[in-house]
Amino acid sequence: MKIGILTSGGDCPGLNAVIRGAVLRGVISHDAEFVGFRWGWRGVVEGDIVPLPRQEVRGLSRQGGTILHSSRTNPFEGEGGGPENIQRMLDSNGIDAIIAIGGEGTLTAARRLVDEGGIKVVGVPKTIDNDLASTDYSFGFDTAVEIATEAIDRLRTTADSHGRCMIVEVMGRHVGWIALHSGMAGGAHAILVPEQPQSIEQICAWVESVRDRGRAPVIVVAEGFRLSDMDSEHSHKGLDAFNRPRLGGIAEILAPMIEERTGIESRATVLGHIQRGGAPSAYDRVLATRLGMAAVDAVHDHAWGEMVTLRGTDIARVSIREATGALNVVPPSRYDEAAVLFG
Ligand code: F6P
């Protein structure tokens, strides 16, 4: 069996470990052969294919990024797009099935290709934000939390030196998992997430209570957070390839508001793509390797339209339809638990 692998959407640490896990498992256990589609779905649509023999994945589990590159291409668009063209390209290259490693957009496209064109696709969940339902954690998230926590630790010492308020912005378009976990780990005095809009008065009350105890306030905010009186998330950078507003910069909106209302000198730090770069953590390497291995087993079992997933400590399978049907949001109980320590 010849299997094509692609990585699509925003990258995150662990993608290469999935590729390695899949190739090794396939070669060792199923006598499979592998190719890679370059630049996500674009490689499928344009037939941009590279061989992926065992030696190509040597030492890959510790390497950040993706050796196959990634893009936010829609496989239903463009000259070679759509199920019929894609099946023709697969046939002419002797490719039997696709392993699609991606987030909600990638997996939704994968499901449509299975449903509308009978394309043989198995999914692997990929989201730095940890926003996909049906998987307890996704690889890359743990690494991002480590990076954000280290940044919070560093910002705290300079905040203390100057008696300033620090606002640290982390990724999290629709969900606040990175903010919640890094904020708890770093002992933030307030954590602001998309699921829980807050008023500027409440935020300033937390900041003042920290200051009144003689401490320098540290606030962690997810990029998708909105103040209670904002209609939508802050965006001033236009739209991405899927027509979604590019986020980033809410910390820079909050800092002057807090400074003006509390009189505490405030600084904003936007961590941005640094959270997605570099080597994966040990946890993410293990999770990604297991998911890659399980994806090949799913192909072997002809589990088209299914996605491999983490349930507790076990790797399981769910339908992509179920996985893309809802977001993995921070539940109110988890937020309330953290909020006991605010202020
Ligand atoms: O969806 C993952 C994510 O990292 C979001 O947190 C962020 O808003 C977005 O991707 C950034 O996308 P890009 O890499 O296209 O700038």
Side-chain angles (χ1 to χ4, degrees), residues 172-249:
R173 167 173 285 275
H174 302 296
V175 305
W177 287 109
I178 298 178
L180 184 79
H181 279 226
S182 63
M184 280 188 94
H189 299 108
I191 300 171
L192 307 176
V193 299
E195 297 88 336
Q196 301 273 351
Q198 303 287 352
S199 67
I200 189 67
E201 289 76 23
Q202 172 62 77
I203 297 168
C204 290
W206 283 324
V207 166
E208 281 169 343
S209 124
V210 177
R211 188 257 325 264
D212 293 349
R213 292 202 315 277
R215 304 281 314 278
V218 175
I219 297 176
V220 179
V221 59
E223 62 184 355
F225 168 78
R226 356 182 223 110
L227 288 167
S228 332
D229 59 1
M230 287 166 67
D231 293 334
S232 57
E233 319 91 339
H234 171 70
S235 169
H236 65 291
K237 299 173 184 170
L239 303 176
D240 70 11
F242 280 91
N243 282 328
R244 302 178 312 173
R246 286 208 177 90
L247 302 186

Side-chain angles (χ1 to χ4, degrees), residues 10-11 72 126-129 131 171-173 178 223 240 244-247 273 276:
D11 75 341
R72 296 192 193 272
K126 174 245 35 145
T127 151
I128 199 90
D129 294 354
D131 61 359
M171 281 188 168
R173 167 173 285 275
I178 298 178
E223 62 184 355
D240 70 11
R244 302 178 312 173
R246 286 208 177 90
L247 302 186
H273 292 80
R276 293 204 333 222

